[in-house]
Amino acid sequence: MSDTKKIFLLDAYALIYRAYYAFIRAPRINSKKLNTSAIYGFTNALLEVLQKEKPSHLAVAFDPAGPTFRHKMYEPYKAQREATPEDIKLAVPYIKRLLEALNIPILEVSGYEADDVIGTISLKAERAGFEVFMMTPDKDYAQLVSDNIKMFKPRSRSGGVDVLGVAEVQEKFAVEKPEQVIDILALMGDASDNIPGCPGIGEKGARDIIKQYKNIPGIYEHINEFKGKRKENLIEFKEQVELSYTLATICREVPIEFNEDDLQVSEADSDKLMPLLEELEFKSLMARFGYESTPVVTAAPAQGDLFTQPQIEQAPVFASSLKTINDTAHAYYLVDNDQAYASLAADLSVQKAYCFDTETTGLDTATAELVGISFSWKKGEAYYVPFPDDRKQAEALVQRFKRVLEEEEIVKIGQNLKYDIQILKNYGVHVKGKIFDTMVAHHLALPGQRNNMDFMAEVHLGYSPIKLESLIGKKGKNQQTLREVDMALAKEYAAEDADITLQLKDFLMSKLKEAGLEELFYKTEMPLLLVLADMEATGVKLDVDELKNFAGKLHQRIEALEKEIFNMAGMEFNIASPKQVGEVLFDHMKIDAKAKKTKSGQYSTGEEVLTKLKGKHEIIDKILDFRGLRKLLNTYVEALPLLVNPKTGRIHTTYNQAMVVTGRLSSTNPNLQNIPIRDEDGREIRKAFIASNEDHLFLSADYSQVELRIMAHLSRDSHMVEAFAKGEDIHAATAAKIFKVDLSDVSDDMRRKAKTANFGIIYGISAFGLAERLNVSRTEAKELIDGYFENFPDVKAYMDKSIEVARDKGYVETIFGRRRNLPDINSRNGVVRGMAERNAINAPIQGTAADIIKMAMVNIQHELRKEGLQSKMILQVHDELNFDVLKSELERVKEIVKTGMENACKLSVPLAVEMGVGSNWHQAH
DNA sequence: TAATTCACG
DNA sequence: ACGTACGTGAATTAC
């Protein structure tokens, strides 16, 4: 434990409200009809802090009854706030009694709110050399943050916290100094406190303005740089903004003493505590306080002498006596000296298989550093090797395990191994040999179920592992890293992960076997995992200048559009806000008398709705254009350059192999599977995805109509199979059939309709959906569908069969056995059932396509490697693969790719691949 | 946090 | 009578 003084200051009401509403759907009521949600939630949060944060000092600040100095300044202050719920009023005395029993001081100063008290104490404590944590969900506190004063912000759902220090506040509010948070609040206002702010300025606007002008006075010094409505508002509401500034400022000069000793954490007074908990009927909390834990004693293994033995923890105030859920005997060893390293490596080298798990400082493989590696090859026994912070030393230590990690003959087991493999690659270790990834295995064996490790351990092993969050705090930009965590705790956590993962592997192996998924898993998914690791590491080069240039053009066009739109509307508004667009269009301009409203009572202003209104007013087109361009700018043009890795100069996406229910991959951070292509403006972005240098070219290869071909194969529909066999234009061929004309007489309109119908078929068609997309009557759509099924009767038969299979087995399968569970298939709710039926039709098709391209990827990568080619596979977009090809290798690579894709599997129709080459993605298409 | 919108296959 | 084509991820607004 560190010797720094650490004080926690809790904002009582803010936490009480939060606790109360957290249970609002299922309130905790005891036998005396007392709603104890707030008391329980608050107490729990308090105990969490005492246990996990181990503060040396702690106090709880309450808002006093009656008005504060702010009410004197501004009457409506907090006026519109609803009255405190009765349940909370009743809860407060209990909470105060509880605090008393815990010997925790209550701070309450008449005329000042809790935030003022905390603001004042935090300042005094900081001066007295404390590390201060203000525990509150209220973002206003961000203004108080300094080097030694941090916000400790509980997350609303599922526990965990965000710790906001200076860096986090700077990032979250886009400010240089935390004080500027006040300026932002003054502009945007705060509805819950009834701080008015400036009309027309919201969160984003306020941030942008303060970023540029630093503070409120700065705005008014440069007021002429503002234009239009915003300028008017800023001038008109100047006084209001200034008042808001004062209201939002937390007072740090509250007349209150700071007596360190009074706030020291001390033993609870159990004579007061126990009867109170009894009265409240908090059995679980009583158990937590009353339980005298005895440590699990485990036998040391033969070589145990070398390893640091499991430590029994100290017994501090409350935390020590908490009962653990799992009593499973286990032995986890710390491996932290030369002899132990050697011994562990030697033990590993004689295993057929072992499980390993890396612990790092983050989730981003580009920046995360190794903190430790855990190993396990026997249930209940695991080893944790902590790594030094120093990079050089860490690299040296990893060398000790390089040989066992690169040993071809040993199977490596892990959860999300792609990550561990990439981390190790950064440290010069190239994991080899067969792998078994429990996350991917689970996704295959039990599709649709959550596949994070904690969940799997609970459901399948009945075991509740230590949560990482409980050690490092929950997501937030600056949660702690495992490095800061006590090594004994880190060891328990990390070793347990390896132990559990190993146990999950046994369970999942038998599940895979039962479901007949071994081949898909071992021959496709596991090799694919390695392919994806390579693709992610390679990345794709981005031409940042090209995007900068494009951004400039877009900005100009957006501004021009904005002017036009405001002119047409006769008023200014936020065009990006669906709500405001709805109001302007339908209330102000009365463009459509009977506009649709969504469930939440808003006008619907989606693309569909607006497109239908196109003829009614020019403004519609302008709004659609505006939205399109802003989307482009915000989501791609300005976002992508920020994700270029400075070390490689490339974009490295992350593929998730265990996310999509149908078996497809998904891509995040950034998503490179939804880069625009459909319209001209968007397509420009693809020009920025370039080959790695002048010696390379961008090669793009995509399957032509792969899903329809799979439908043809699955249904064995002779007409469809024949059309594909002849290499006909499938949509035209479909049109010829359903419109009963010669292939040569198919008009563009007929082809378009047939194409839409073909897509509909894949999705599990409905007359309504088809009518909607074709913009024809439902009767016409129905006729089209009937015509389709008449001409392709086997397609209809296949669809019916799929649904029948689903009803019968509860799941459907791809050609290669990948399953999708459909529990809703027998639902009495027609809508829900209809959805499941369409899934029954679509999943085998989409899933088979996913299986096929995965097999192709594995084959292609294998071939590229085998021939020692330098060209690299860099992107996968569902039915498309992209490569960075060395010019001299182009012809050979094209051959490998084409064969690899076309021969990925044998169907009753040929698989066709189209390829293109250029200096960038755009050209290659 | 949920809903809305829109980018892709 | 109801709500309606399959599968995703990201940004934003508004609650």
Side-chain angles (χ1 to χ4, degrees), chain A residues 379-519:
Chain A
K379 181 178 169 178
E381 191 177 308
Y383 299 80
Y384 180 60
V385 186
F387 273 63
D389 293 3
D390 180 83
R391 178 80 188 203
K392 285 258 146 50
Q393 289 177 26
E395 280 171 15
L397 178 52
V398 86
Q399 289 301 312
R400 298 250 189 178
F401 300 95
K402 185 178 167 78
R403 206 178 61 77
V404 288
L405 287 162
E406 295 187 348
E407 173 54 59
E408 293 269 4
E409 295 305 312
I410 303 176
V411 179
K412 319 295 183 306
I413 301 154
Q415 164 82 356
N416 193 14
L417 276 170
K418 175 153 61 68
Y419 178 80
D420 304 272
I421 288 170
Q422 282 169 331
I423 292 290
L424 288 171
K425 194 188 276 181
N426 293 341
Y427 280 75
V429 172
H430 302 268
V431 175
K432 298 197 183 82
K434 291 206 167 116
I435 54 172
F436 189 107
D437 187 299
T438 47
M439 184 172 82
V440 177
H442 188 266
H443 183 245
L444 259 190
L446 298 143
Q449 283 193 35
R450 298 183 52 195
N451 50 28
N452 62 63
M453 218 204 55
D454 292 349
F455 178 84
M456 291 193 288
E458 271 170 47
V459 175
H460 306 306
L461 306 176
Y463 187 89
S464 177
I466 302 168
K467 298 209 170 32
L468 180 61
E469 282 151 17
S470 72
L471 300 181
I472 64 172
K474 210 168 173 174
K475 279 183 267 173
K477 299 284 143 63
N478 77 320
Q479 58 189 169
Q480 281 187 298
T481 71
L482 260 179
R483 262 183 192 161
E484 281 90 54
V485 173
D486 181 74
M487 202 176 281
L489 287 175
K491 178 207 72 182
E492 283 298 312
Y493 162 76
E496 185 182 69
D497 268 9
D499 180 13
I500 289 170
T501 304
L502 184 73
Q503 295 180 45
L504 278 170
K505 185 241 178 185
D506 290 335
F507 167 80
L508 291 168
M509 236 169 63
S510 63
K511 284 281 167 198
L512 286 172
K513 191 165 189 175
E514 267 172 43
L517 286 162
E518 286 175 307
E519 174 148 352

Side-chain angles (χ1 to χ4, degrees), chain A residues 668-722:
Chain A
T668 55
N669 206 350
N671 181 354
L672 293 184
Q673 294 181 320
N674 73 345
I675 303 300
I677 191 167
R678 290 174 189 166
D679 26 73
E680 202 49 56
D681 283 318
R683 209 171 299 163
E684 282 291 302
I685 293 167
R686 293 188 173 228
K687 290 184 180 165
F689 287 83
I690 55 178
S692 59
N693 58 42
E694 311 83 68
D695 299 334
H696 286 75
L697 286 166
F698 206 105
L699 168 68
S700 185
D702 65 287
Y703 279 118
S704 156
Q705 313 296 349
V706 66
E707 294 191 343
L708 263 188
R709 286 171 198 266
I710 291 165
M711 173 56 111
H713 170 86
L714 288 170
S715 67
R716 295 289 204 278
D717 186 284
S718 55
H719 299 292
M720 209 181 252
V721 171
E722 193 186 334

Side-chain angles (χ1 to χ4, degrees), chain A residues 551-567:
Chain A
K553 289 183 199 162
L554 286 177
H555 272 297
Q556 285 179 2
R557 287 173 58 195
I558 287 170
E559 239 168 79
L561 275 173
E562 196 171 30
K563 270 192 195 141
E564 285 184 73
I565 291 168
F566 291 161
N567 267 333

Side-chain angles (χ1 to χ4, degrees), chain A residues 299-310 333-334 340 343 347 381 383:
Chain A
Q303 72 278 60
D305 295 343
L306 295 175
F307 305 111
T308 308
Q309 289 296 321
Y333 299 94
L334 197 59
S343 172
D347 285 343
E381 191 177 308
Y383 299 80

